Amino acid sequence: FTQYVIMLANLNRIAISRTDNIGDVVLALPVAGWIKKYYPNAEVVFIGRDYTRSIIESSVFVDRFVDRMDLIDGSLDLKSLNIDAIVFIFPDKELGFLAKKVGIPLRIGSFRKLHHLLSCTNWVNFTRRNSLLHESQLNFKLLKPLDIPTEVSKAEIPSLYGMKNITPLSDRLASLLDKGKFNLIIHPKSHGHGKEWPAHKYYELCQKLPSDKFNIIFTGTEKEKPFIEEHFNDLIQSTSNISNGAGLMNLNEFISFISMADGLLASGTGPLHVAAALGKLSIGFFPPMPPVYSQRWENLGERAFHFEREFCRRNYSCRKIKGCECVESIEVDHVAELLMRESYLR
């Protein structure tokens, strides 16, 4: 026990490993902020995918980003990083055994993963699937072996993202914004990560929002660009306050673009969490279905809102299909009313 206390007192470099998608990574950033609160002199290393590098490097609480694949393929020696403790927020069998091989002293993982029972030195026993806590709150559970508080309220989380290292927006993308209007980003697709509001309702919403007050920009990946063109092209071509930004930005540019806009509307997907973390108006759509409901995945921010029915109309029968009657039933007028009210508060 004495040796353990001494080890905690001498943690100079703590690594966080979260190697999955954008939204998951955004909701893991507060862990870095929480570690910095209790270990202010420690360097925080965040191990992730290169795909999410821009998210991770935007946080002032992260001192260094490390690409997981650089460690796995050996182009970067994990031992050379001199890490004192590593927290596997996302279970990683390969990286876990590598951390054991190079002798990282404190290796923290889930008790419910057999590979981490074999590769880690400390385990935390909890379940995500059946928990009533938010995903971001669950991440703090893994900090228990660091002897810091693990119960963090939703109200505390917005101050812990630290997304302040933002690249200046290029003139090319800034031209899509209108300083005289409320710049609303509509991100209609979700890569299958969320239940989506129907295209015809986004279309109707655009018609309801006054063109003299709102500048609307549709965004998405290059693969999602044809969807936007198919459903919204006549609006984009006939209305001066609506444009298509799909396929025009990489993730770093998209973060910068969101930071310069006023609000974002999307299903429960990565960009929604980015907007919330940046303190922007963020409005999300969620199905009332565990474990993908708002109780687990809502956007947490200073101006974060979401729409969700109180109960599922079909007893979760849409769990394995693309559509969701509950999300599709959310009224356009309710969304428009919220946007109109919040647009006056920007």
Side-chain angles (χ1 to χ4, degrees):
F1 176 77
T2 302
Q3 289 180 330
Y4 184 67
V5 172
I6 293 173
M7 179 172 62
L8 291 181
N10 291 280
L11 291 179
N12 297 313
R13 189 165 295 151
I14 302 170
I16 299 168
S17 176
R18 181 100 210 197
T19 53
D20 43 353
N21 300 308
I22 291 174
D24 307 284
V25 170
V26 172
L27 294 178
L29 290 179
V31 171
W34 201 242
I35 289 173
K36 282 289 191 182
K37 181 176 180 178
Y38 291 93
Y39 291 91
N41 298 319
E43 180 180 348
V44 174
V45 177
F46 200 122
I47 301 171
R49 297 165 58 196
D50 187 60
Y51 169 58
T52 59
R53 175 192 292 265
S54 297
I55 297 290
I56 295 164
E57 291 186 335
S58 73
S59 177
V60 296
F61 300 125
V62 175
D63 297 293
R64 179 174 180 178
F65 165 80
V66 172
D67 184 355
R68 176 188 183 275
M69 285 309 301
D70 286 345
L71 300 174
I72 298 302
D73 66 21
S75 56
L76 177 62
D77 182 9
L78 180 58
K79 188 175 182 64
S80 70
L81 297 179
N82 296 316
I83 292 170
D84 300 304
I86 183 168
V87 183
F88 290 99
I89 296 178
F90 183 75
D92 192 319
K93 180 178 180 179
E94 203 169 2
L95 190 57
F97 282 110
L98 181 59
K100 179 180 181 179
K101 180 181 178 180
V102 302
I104 294 177
L106 183 58
R107 306 182 298 277
I108 304 168
S110 170
F111 182 80
R112 294 171 179 261
K113 295 296 180 181
L114 177 60
H115 56 83
H116 278 326
L117 288 177
L118 299 173
S119 64
C120 291
T121 61
N122 296 74
W123 309 273
V124 181
N125 186 14
F126 70 101
T127 175
R128 289 182 185 267
R129 177 169 291 275
N130 299 318
S131 175
L132 297 179
L133 293 175
H134 190 272
E135 177 71 8
S136 190
Q137 291 176 301
L138 287 167
N139 293 335
F140 294 104
K141 296 292 185 185
L142 286 155
L143 300 181
K144 185 176 181 180
L146 296 179
D147 195 32
I148 59 180
T150 60
E151 294 186 8
V152 182
S153 70
K154 289 182 181 180
E156 293 176 277
I157 287 172
S159 65
L160 298 172
Y161 292 115
M163 289 185 67
K164 298 178 180 178
N165 293 329
I166 308 299
T167 303
L169 188 64
S170 68
D171 292 340
R172 173 179 65 90
L173 296 176
S175 66
L176 295 173
L177 302 173
D178 186 333
K179 293 181 180 179
K181 297 179 181 180
F182 186 93
N183 291 287
L184 175 66
I185 298 170
I186 292 181
H187 197 84
K189 300 297 289 179
S190 68
H191 280 292
H193 295 154
K195 296 294 186 180
E196 297 168 2
W197 208 38
H200 71 87
K201 291 206 167 183
Y202 281 116
Y203 190 103
E204 185 181 343
L205 176 68
C206 289
Q207 292 180 311
K208 283 184 176 293
L209 297 176
S211 59
D212 62 330
K213 296 184 182 298
F214 284 86
N215 180 51
I216 299 169
I217 313 97
F218 282 93
T219 59
T221 64
E222 185 65 36
K223 290 182 179 180
E224 293 165 345
K225 187 176 181 179
F227 172 88
I228 293 172
E229 291 174 342
E230 177 186 354
H231 293 281
F232 308 108
N233 223 27
D234 60 333
L235 273 178
I236 293 167
Q237 292 181 349
S238 63
T239 313
S240 61
N241 71 312
I242 303 176
S243 57
N244 186 2
L248 298 182
M249 312 173 209
N250 58 34
L251 180 56
N252 190 48
E253 291 171 324
F254 193 32
I255 294 169
S256 300
F257 191 74
I258 295 173
S259 75
M260 294 301 293
D262 298 298
L264 182 142
L265 184 65
S267 59
T269 187
L272 179 71
H273 295 295
V274 172
L278 289 169
K280 299 296 175 177
L281 174 66
S282 60
I283 303 174
F285 301 112
F286 290 89
M289 178 176 63
V292 294
Y293 56 173
S294 64
Q295 186 162 325
R296 174 78 178 275
W297 291 101
E298 72 171 297
N299 41 317
L300 299 177
E302 296 170 4
R303 297 183 67 195
F305 300 88
H306 68 270
F307 288 92
E308 180 182 60
R309 293 191 62 87
E310 290 185 11
F311 58 91
C312 180
R313 289 181 167 186
R314 298 195 169 218
N315 196 29
Y316 310 147
S317 62
C318 64
R319 189 183 296 276
K320 295 183 179 181
I321 63 175
K322 187 175 182 181
C324 175
E325 184 177 323
C326 293
V327 171
E328 292 170 0
S329 69
I330 295 169
E331 296 291 343
V332 173
D333 284 343
H334 295 163
V335 180
E337 287 169 9
L338 175 59
L339 282 166
M340 287 295 294
R341 185 186 77 217
E342 291 298 314
S343 68
Y344 287 107
L345 301 175
R346 67 167 178 162

